[in-house]
Protein backbone atom coordinates (compact mmCIF):
# COMPACT_ATOMS: atom_id res chain seq x y z
CA UNK A 1 0.00 0.00 0.00
CA UNK A 2 2.80 2.43 0.98
CA UNK A 3 4.80 1.48 -2.11
CA UNK A 4 1.78 2.18 -4.36
CA UNK A 5 1.18 5.52 -2.61
CA UNK A 6 4.81 6.56 -3.17
CA UNK A 7 4.52 5.60 -6.83
CA UNK A 8 1.38 7.71 -7.25
CA UNK A 9 3.01 10.68 -5.50
CA UNK A 10 6.05 10.35 -7.78
CA UNK A 11 3.86 10.25 -10.90
CA UNK A 12 1.87 13.23 -9.68
CA UNK A 13 5.09 15.15 -9.08
CA UNK A 14 6.27 14.41 -12.63
CA UNK A 15 2.94 15.58 -14.05
CA UNK A 16 3.15 18.84 -12.04
CA UNK A 17 6.72 19.52 -13.19
CA UNK A 18 5.85 18.85 -16.84
CA UNK A 19 2.78 21.09 -16.55
CA UNK A 20 4.83 23.94 -15.11
CA UNK A 21 7.41 23.59 -17.90
CA UNK A 22 4.71 23.53 -20.57
CA UNK A 23 2.97 26.58 -19.10
CA UNK A 24 6.30 28.48 -18.98
CA UNK A 25 7.23 27.69 -22.57
CA UNK A 26 3.68 28.29 -23.80
CA UNK A 27 3.70 31.72 -22.15
CA UNK A 28 7.19 32.50 -23.51
CA UNK A 29 6.21 31.38 -27.01
CA UNK A 30 2.97 33.39 -26.87
CA UNK A 31 4.88 36.50 -25.80
CA UNK A 32 7.45 35.96 -28.57
CA UNK A 33 4.70 35.54 -31.18
CA UNK A 34 2.90 38.65 -29.89
CA UNK A 35 6.13 40.70 -30.04
CA UNK A 36 6.86 39.42 -33.55
CA UNK A 37 3.39 40.31 -34.82
CA UNK A 38 3.66 43.78 -33.26
CA UNK A 39 7.10 44.30 -34.85
CA UNK A 40 5.67 43.39 -38.26
CA UNK A 41 2.87 45.88 -37.68
CA UNK A 42 5.34 48.65 -36.78
CA UNK A 43 7.44 47.91 -39.86
CA UNK A 44 4.31 48.16 -42.01
CA UNK A 45 3.90 51.70 -40.62
CA UNK A 46 7.50 52.62 -41.47
CA UNK A 47 8.43 52.64 -37.76
CA UNK A 48 12.01 51.59 -37.05
CA UNK A 49 13.41 51.85 -33.53
CA UNK A 50 16.63 50.01 -32.69
CA UNK A 51 19.90 50.03 -30.77
CA UNK A 52 23.33 48.43 -30.88
CA UNK A 53 23.05 47.58 -27.16
CA UNK A 54 19.33 46.95 -26.58
CA UNK A 55 16.63 44.83 -28.16
CA UNK A 56 13.02 43.66 -27.95
CA UNK A 57 14.54 40.66 -26.18
CA UNK A 58 16.89 41.77 -23.41
CA UNK A 59 20.47 42.14 -24.68
CA UNK A 60 23.25 41.27 -22.21
CA UNK A 61 26.30 43.57 -22.26
CA UNK A 62 29.37 42.72 -20.16
CA UNK A 63 32.36 44.88 -19.19
CA UNK A 64 34.91 43.13 -16.98
CA UNK A 65 37.35 46.06 -16.93
CA UNK A 66 34.96 48.85 -16.04
CA UNK A 67 36.81 51.78 -14.45
CA UNK A 68 33.77 53.44 -12.91
CA UNK A 69 33.32 55.94 -15.75
CA UNK A 70 30.21 56.64 -17.83
CA UNK A 71 28.72 53.73 -19.80
CA UNK A 72 27.46 54.62 -23.28
CA UNK A 73 24.67 53.11 -25.37
CA UNK A 74 22.54 54.38 -28.26
CA UNK A 75 19.15 54.37 -29.92
CA UNK A 76 18.37 54.82 -33.63
CA UNK A 77 15.38 55.62 -35.83
CA UNK A 78 16.42 52.97 -38.34
CA UNK A 79 17.30 49.41 -39.15
CA UNK A 80 20.23 50.66 -41.26
CA UNK A 81 21.15 53.78 -43.23
CA UNK A 82 18.79 52.81 -46.05
CA UNK A 83 15.76 51.93 -43.88
CA UNK A 84 14.88 55.01 -41.82
CA UNK A 85 11.79 56.29 -39.99
CA UNK A 86 10.52 59.43 -41.72
CA UNK A 87 8.95 61.08 -38.65
CA UNK A 88 9.97 62.01 -35.10
CA UNK A 89 9.99 59.39 -32.33
CA UNK A 90 9.37 60.39 -28.71
CA UNK A 91 11.04 58.15 -26.16
CA UNK A 92 11.60 57.63 -22.42
CA UNK A 93 14.68 56.02 -20.84
CA UNK A 94 14.69 54.27 -17.46
CA UNK A 95 17.87 53.13 -15.71
CA UNK A 96 17.61 50.62 -12.83
CA UNK A 97 20.29 49.03 -10.64
CA UNK A 98 19.56 45.40 -9.90
CA UNK A 99 20.34 43.42 -6.75
CA UNK A 100 22.08 44.46 -3.54
CA UNK A 101 23.90 47.41 -5.12
CA UNK A 102 20.57 49.23 -5.54
CA UNK A 103 20.62 49.96 -1.78
CA UNK A 104 24.00 51.70 -1.97
CA UNK A 105 24.14 53.32 -5.41
CA UNK A 106 22.09 55.29 -7.92
CA UNK A 107 21.93 55.25 -11.70
CA UNK A 108 21.94 58.71 -13.31
CA UNK A 109 21.34 59.40 -17.00
CA UNK A 110 23.21 61.81 -19.30
CA UNK A 111 24.77 63.94 -16.56
CA UNK A 112 21.50 64.52 -14.71
CA UNK A 113 20.59 63.43 -11.18
CA UNK A 114 17.67 61.35 -12.45
CA UNK A 115 17.35 57.72 -13.53
CA UNK A 116 14.66 58.70 -16.07
CA UNK A 117 15.01 60.78 -19.20
CA UNK A 118 12.74 61.84 -22.05
CA UNK A 119 13.76 62.88 -25.52
CA UNK A 120 13.00 62.93 -29.24
CA UNK A 121 14.72 61.16 -32.12
CA UNK A 122 14.26 63.87 -34.72
CA UNK A 123 13.72 63.02 -38.35
CA UNK A 124 15.89 65.02 -40.74
CA UNK A 125 16.86 65.06 -44.41
CA UNK A 126 20.12 65.81 -46.17
CA UNK A 127 21.79 65.72 -49.55
CA UNK A 128 23.44 62.41 -50.49
CA UNK A 129 26.12 61.95 -53.14
CA UNK A 130 26.24 58.34 -54.33
CA UNK A 131 27.66 59.19 -57.77
CA UNK A 132 31.30 58.75 -56.82
CA UNK A 133 32.29 62.16 -58.21
CA UNK A 134 33.87 63.26 -54.92
CA UNK A 135 31.75 66.42 -54.49
CA UNK A 136 31.04 67.38 -50.86
CA UNK A 137 27.25 67.94 -50.73
CA UNK A 138 26.53 68.14 -46.97
CA UNK A 139 25.92 71.92 -47.12
CA UNK A 140 23.50 71.76 -50.08
CA UNK A 141 19.83 72.60 -49.53
CA UNK A 142 17.08 70.52 -51.14
CA UNK A 143 16.81 72.64 -54.28
CA UNK A 144 20.55 72.81 -54.98
CA UNK A 145 20.92 69.12 -54.19
CA UNK A 146 18.31 67.97 -56.68
CA UNK A 147 19.19 70.49 -59.40
CA UNK A 148 22.78 69.22 -59.37
CA UNK A 149 21.66 65.61 -59.72
CA UNK A 150 22.08 64.34 -56.18
CA UNK A 151 19.57 62.71 -53.81
CA UNK A 152 17.69 64.44 -50.99
CA UNK A 153 16.96 61.66 -48.48
CA UNK A 154 15.86 60.98 -44.91
CA UNK A 155 18.89 60.32 -42.72
CA UNK A 156 19.59 57.90 -39.90
CA UNK A 157 19.33 59.62 -36.49
CA UNK A 158 21.55 58.10 -33.79
CA UNK A 159 21.17 59.34 -30.22
CA UNK A 160 24.13 58.70 -27.92
CA UNK A 161 23.09 58.16 -24.30
CA UNK A 162 25.02 57.22 -21.17
CA UNK A 163 24.62 56.47 -17.50
CA UNK A 164 26.78 56.93 -14.41
CA UNK A 165 26.75 54.85 -11.24
CA UNK A 166 26.89 57.08 -8.16
CA UNK A 167 27.66 55.42 -4.81
CA UNK A 168 25.44 56.90 -2.08
CA UNK A 169 27.07 55.06 0.86
CA UNK A 170 30.77 55.93 1.27
CA UNK A 171 31.38 52.75 3.26
CA UNK A 172 30.16 50.53 0.42
CA UNK A 173 32.81 49.30 -2.03
CA UNK A 174 31.17 48.87 -5.40
CA UNK A 175 33.02 46.23 -7.42
CA UNK A 176 30.20 44.62 -9.39
CA UNK A 177 26.90 46.06 -10.54
CA UNK A 178 24.17 45.03 -12.97
CA UNK A 179 22.24 47.86 -14.62
CA UNK A 180 19.05 47.46 -16.63
CA UNK A 181 18.28 50.02 -19.33
CA UNK A 182 14.79 50.26 -20.81
CA UNK A 183 13.96 52.66 -23.63
CA UNK A 184 10.28 53.02 -24.49
CA UNK A 185 9.08 54.84 -27.57
CA UNK A 186 5.99 56.74 -26.47
CA UNK A 187 4.81 58.28 -29.76
CA UNK A 188 3.65 57.72 -32.40
CA UNK A 189 3.93 53.99 -31.55
CA UNK A 190 4.98 52.12 -28.45
CA UNK A 191 7.95 49.77 -28.49
CA UNK A 192 10.34 48.77 -25.71
CA UNK A 193 14.06 48.11 -26.10
CA UNK A 194 15.93 46.67 -23.12
CA UNK A 195 19.38 45.51 -22.11
CA UNK A 196 21.48 44.76 -19.05
CA UNK A 197 25.02 45.97 -18.40
CA UNK A 198 27.07 43.71 -16.11
CA UNK A 199 29.96 45.85 -14.89
CA UNK A 200 32.98 44.58 -12.98
CA UNK A 201 35.40 47.19 -11.71
CA UNK A 202 38.91 46.28 -12.84
CA UNK A 203 42.20 47.53 -11.47
CA UNK A 204 43.43 50.82 -12.97
CA UNK A 205 47.21 51.21 -13.13
CA UNK A 206 47.31 54.96 -12.67
CA UNK A 207 45.53 57.51 -14.83
CA UNK A 208 45.62 57.23 -18.60
CA UNK A 209 43.85 58.24 -21.79
CA UNK A 210 42.42 55.15 -23.48
CA UNK A 211 40.72 54.76 -26.86
CA UNK A 212 38.46 52.01 -28.15
CA UNK A 213 37.12 51.68 -31.69
CA UNK A 214 33.98 49.67 -32.43
CA UNK A 215 32.74 48.63 -35.87
CA UNK A 216 29.02 48.45 -36.60
CA UNK A 217 27.08 47.71 -39.77
CA UNK A 218 26.70 51.27 -41.01
CA UNK A 219 29.09 53.33 -38.90
CA UNK A 220 31.97 53.10 -36.43
CA UNK A 221 32.39 54.62 -32.98
CA UNK A 222 35.53 55.95 -31.28
CA UNK A 223 35.31 55.94 -27.46
CA UNK A 224 37.84 58.00 -25.46
CA UNK A 225 38.22 57.49 -21.69
CA UNK A 226 40.06 59.70 -19.19
CA UNK A 227 40.90 57.69 -16.05
CA UNK A 228 43.03 60.52 -14.62
CA UNK A 229 41.80 62.38 -11.54
CA UNK A 230 42.00 65.69 -13.47
CA UNK A 231 40.27 67.05 -16.57
CA UNK A 232 42.22 66.83 -19.83
CA UNK A 233 42.32 68.88 -23.03
CA UNK A 234 42.86 66.38 -25.84
CA UNK A 235 43.69 66.53 -29.55
CA UNK A 236 42.73 63.59 -31.78
CA UNK A 237 43.86 63.26 -35.41
CA UNK A 238 43.01 60.83 -38.23
CA UNK A 239 43.14 60.47 -42.01
CA UNK A 240 39.97 62.06 -43.43
CA UNK A 241 40.50 60.29 -46.74
CA UNK A 242 39.55 57.11 -44.86
CA UNK A 243 37.15 58.24 -42.13
CA UNK A 244 34.64 61.08 -41.85
CA UNK A 245 33.45 62.30 -38.45
CA UNK A 246 29.75 62.76 -37.79
CA UNK A 247 29.68 66.01 -35.81
CA UNK A 248 28.03 69.41 -35.91
CA UNK A 249 30.77 71.21 -33.97
CA UNK A 250 29.05 71.25 -30.57
CA UNK A 251 30.97 68.19 -29.42
CA UNK A 252 34.44 69.80 -29.54
CA UNK A 253 36.04 73.19 -28.92
CA UNK A 254 38.17 73.42 -32.08
CA UNK A 255 39.02 71.50 -35.24
CA UNK A 256 41.35 71.42 -38.26
CA UNK A 257 40.65 70.42 -41.85
CA UNK A 258 42.72 68.79 -44.59
CA UNK A 259 43.41 70.16 -48.07
CA UNK A 260 40.02 68.86 -49.28
CA UNK A 261 38.05 70.63 -46.57
CA UNK A 262 37.32 67.58 -44.39
CA UNK A 263 37.79 67.58 -40.61
CA UNK A 264 40.86 65.54 -39.69
CA UNK A 265 41.59 66.80 -36.18
CA UNK A 266 39.51 67.90 -33.18
CA UNK A 267 40.23 69.35 -29.73
CA UNK A 268 37.96 68.89 -26.74
CA UNK A 269 37.82 68.77 -22.95
CA UNK A 270 37.32 65.41 -21.28
CA UNK A 271 36.41 65.44 -17.60
CA UNK A 272 38.23 63.31 -15.03
CA UNK A 273 37.03 59.70 -14.71
CA UNK A 274 34.77 60.14 -17.72
CA UNK A 275 34.43 59.15 -21.36
CA UNK A 276 32.82 60.32 -24.60
CA UNK A 277 32.45 58.99 -28.11
CA UNK A 278 32.31 60.12 -31.73
CA UNK A 279 30.69 58.45 -34.72
CA UNK A 280 32.72 57.93 -37.90
CA UNK A 281 31.72 56.82 -41.39
CA UNK A 282 34.04 54.82 -43.63
CA UNK A 283 34.65 56.05 -47.16
CA UNK A 284 35.29 52.45 -48.22
CA UNK A 285 32.75 50.11 -46.60
CA UNK A 286 34.88 47.10 -47.48
CA UNK A 287 37.66 48.17 -45.10
CA UNK A 288 37.82 47.46 -41.39
CA UNK A 289 39.50 50.08 -39.21
CA UNK A 290 40.69 50.02 -35.61
CA UNK A 291 42.03 52.39 -32.98
CA UNK A 292 45.46 52.56 -34.66
CA UNK A 293 43.94 54.96 -37.22
CA UNK A 294 43.89 57.65 -34.52
CA UNK A 295 46.54 59.59 -32.62
CA UNK A 296 45.77 61.30 -29.31
CA UNK A 297 47.81 63.99 -27.54
CA UNK A 298 47.24 66.27 -24.59
CA UNK A 299 46.84 69.87 -25.69
CA UNK A 300 46.41 73.34 -24.23
CA UNK A 301 44.15 74.79 -26.93
CA UNK A 302 40.69 73.78 -25.68
Amino acid sequence: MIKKLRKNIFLLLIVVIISVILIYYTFTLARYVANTIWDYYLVSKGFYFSSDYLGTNVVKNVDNVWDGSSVHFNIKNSLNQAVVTTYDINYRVVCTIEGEASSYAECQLNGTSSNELEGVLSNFEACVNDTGDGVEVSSFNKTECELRGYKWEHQEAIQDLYFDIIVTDEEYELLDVVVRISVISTAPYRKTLAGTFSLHKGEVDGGKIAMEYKNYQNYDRLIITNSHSTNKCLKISWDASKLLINANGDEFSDYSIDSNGYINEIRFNLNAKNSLSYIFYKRDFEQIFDVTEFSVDEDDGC
Side-chain angles (χ1 to χ4, degrees), residues 97 100-107 165-169 172 174 177:
I97 297 177
E100 178 189 1
S102 62
S103 300
Y104 307 97
E106 295 179 351
C107 181
I165 302 302
I166 308 299
V167 177
T168 56
D169 185 342
Y172 182 74
L174 184 67
V177 62

Side-chain angles (χ1 to χ4, degrees), residues 9-51:
I9 292 173
F10 179 72
L11 290 174
L12 179 61
L13 182 61
I14 291 176
V15 171
V16 170
I17 292 173
I18 292 175
S19 299
V20 170
I21 293 174
L22 287 175
I23 291 172
Y24 171 78
Y25 280 106
T26 299
F27 175 76
T28 301
L29 178 61
R31 184 172 58 183
Y32 172 79
V33 170
N35 286 341
T36 301
I37 293 173
W38 182 243
D39 283 343
Y40 278 125
Y41 173 77
L42 294 179
V43 168
S44 73
K45 297 297 183 180
F47 181 85
Y48 310 104
F49 189 53
S50 63
S51 170

Side-chain angles (χ1 to χ4, degrees), residues 235-286:
K235 178 178 69 176
I236 290 182
S237 306
W238 66 92
D239 186 349
S241 68
K242 298 179 181 178
L243 294 165
L244 297 176
I245 189 171
N246 178 23
N248 58 26
D250 296 336
E251 300 91 343
F252 41 82
S253 59
D254 194 14
Y255 65 93
S256 300
I257 59 175
D258 63 12
S259 58
N260 294 313
Y262 296 105
I263 297 176
N264 65 351
E265 182 179 277
I266 57 175
R267 295 176 181 82
F268 55 92
N269 284 303
L270 183 53
N271 293 337
K273 306 296 183 181
N274 213 329
S275 63
L276 55 74
S277 67
Y278 295 99
I279 291 174
F280 285 85
Y281 297 108
K282 295 181 287 190
R283 287 182 175 273
D284 182 353
F285 284 98
E286 299 298 321

